[in-house]
Amino acid sequence: MKLPLYLGLPMWANQDWLGNLYPRHAKTELLSDYAAVFSSVEGNTTFYSGTPKPDTIAAWARQAPSHFRFCFKLPASVTHDQRLTRLEEAWAFLAALEPLHDRLGPTMVQLPRDFGPQELPQLEALLAAWPTHLPCAVEVRHPEFFHKGAAEIALNRLLITYSANRVMLDVRPLFSTPANDHLGLAHAQQEKPKLPLHVLSTANFPVIRFIGHIDKTINSDYFTAWKARLKLWISQGKTPFLFVHTADNRESPHMARLLYNALGEVTPLPALGPFAGEKQSQLF
């Protein structure tokens, strides 16, 4: 079953979501409850931890329904330590995920902040050998790729040539106000790169990472323009992936639902399932 848009969060395991997204006393295996509401997830753990163990992958395969899409990140050892100069680990990573190949959304290649135009040949070597049946998305953070000059033109042409999606990191809500004394907001502003937003779909699976503020009104205001763009891409037959973060991610499930419902006002979308923790609280 193909969905018009896939909605997800940065992770599925977060103890702060017990009692709302999840039952208050949920078990450790939370993926099934998560996938009852959301249709995708960013696989950030693989960026830090590398290739999951076979039994872990098998467990995910058992818990995730057929319509669900994992968007794992290529391990940092490939992108940051080796800077795409040794690709054997990348192919081993994709091979290990074989039990989930029917449920892979775009695998994300998050590049270092200093991975610049002179290293585009390494990126091209990766994309040229990338398995054609698996979608890919590339997130760049070097300032040269945001100046609309020769470097950005070369990058976008490369992505279009190999049908790779450019990840759009929208940090505007996050940096819209000073953090003041809010520790979660301050930490998020230190962690995320402050880069301009360039809205461009270079392939069939546009990936948006929406990094929200703690203020819901600010998030909704910045999402307004996204509604028209996402509606356009869906009408063109593209399948966007929308990942919603908030400053400390405590509110990301509720924020994702709010934005998804707002998008549903302008283009038809399947209804989200209820949050298990909210259902539980209504029984008492």
Side-chain angles (χ1 to χ4, degrees):
M1 177 180 65
K2 179 188 174 184
L3 300 178
L5 174 138
Y6 288 86
L7 177 71
L9 307 178
M11 66 201 75
W12 67 76
N14 188 328
Q15 296 300 305
D16 291 328
W17 301 341
L18 296 176
N20 51 78
L21 179 58
Y22 301 132
R24 187 167 301 280
H25 303 292
K27 299 178 181 178
T28 54
E29 291 189 353
L30 301 173
L31 180 54
S32 295
D33 281 338
Y34 175 92
V37 179
F38 297 103
S39 50
S40 189
V41 69
E42 284 188 21
N44 286 315
T45 55
T46 56
F47 179 77
Y48 300 102
S49 305
T51 304
K53 296 178 180 178
D55 57 344
T56 300
I57 294 171
W60 294 343
R62 288 194 305 271
Q63 295 176 60
S66 60
H67 72 273
F68 191 81
R69 295 294 178 265
F70 294 92
C71 292
F72 295 109
K73 282 186 181 176
L74 213 58
S77 55
V78 176
T79 55
H80 287 55
D81 299 341
Q82 300 164 11
R83 302 181 74 89
L84 304 185
T85 59
R86 295 164 53 196
L87 299 179
E88 296 83 0
E89 186 180 344
W91 312 139
F93 174 75
L94 294 178
L97 296 174
E98 197 278 332
L100 294 171
H101 277 195
D102 63 328
R103 280 162 287 178
L104 289 186
T107 297
M108 288 191 275
V109 181
Q110 181 179 301
L111 297 173
R113 298 187 190 201
D114 61 349
F115 189 101
Q118 73 282 0
E119 293 180 278
L120 283 180
Q122 286 98 283
L123 177 60
E124 181 166 16
L126 174 80
L127 297 180
W130 193 272
T132 55
H133 67 289
L134 298 177
C136 175
V138 177
E139 181 176 322
V140 293
R141 297 188 170 188
H142 195 288
E144 281 295 311
F145 293 130
F146 296 86
H147 288 170
K148 298 185 178 179
E152 184 168 13
I153 292 170
L155 169 68
N156 291 336
R157 284 178 176 168
L158 182 63
L159 299 178
I160 292 169
T161 296
Y162 293 103
S163 299
N165 304 274
R166 181 168 176 173
V167 175
M168 289 158 274
L169 182 69
D170 189 353
V171 296
R172 296 172 304 161
L174 176 65
F175 289 103
S176 61
T177 70
N180 296 325
D181 296 326
H182 193 283
L183 295 179
L185 190 59
H187 176 73
Q189 289 181 351
Q190 291 171 1
E191 183 184 59
K192 301 297 182 188
K194 191 175 182 180
L195 293 167
L197 173 65
H198 287 192
V199 178
L200 176 69
S201 174
T202 56
N204 290 326
F205 302 101
V207 177
I208 301 100
R209 300 181 67 216
F210 185 90
I211 315 298
H213 196 275
I214 54 174
D215 187 320
K216 293 180 180 179
T217 302
I218 290 175
N219 294 333
S220 295
D221 288 346
Y222 277 101
F223 190 71
T224 298
W226 277 118
K227 293 193 293 184
R229 179 65 57 153
L230 289 166
K231 178 183 178 181
L232 173 65
W233 283 335
I234 292 169
S235 70
Q236 292 173 338
K238 299 189 180 220
T239 307
F241 282 73
L242 173 63
F243 297 111
V244 178
H245 301 230
T246 52
D248 56 13
N249 283 320
R250 291 174 184 267
E251 294 299 317
S252 56
H254 294 92
M255 196 69 245
R257 181 169 60 183
L258 179 68
L259 300 182
Y260 183 85
N261 289 340
L263 178 61
E265 295 172 0
V266 300
T267 191
L269 295 173
L272 291 185
F275 289 7
E278 291 178 347
K279 285 173 57 181
Q280 186 183 54
S281 65
Q282 290 169 4
L283 298 175
F284 296 95

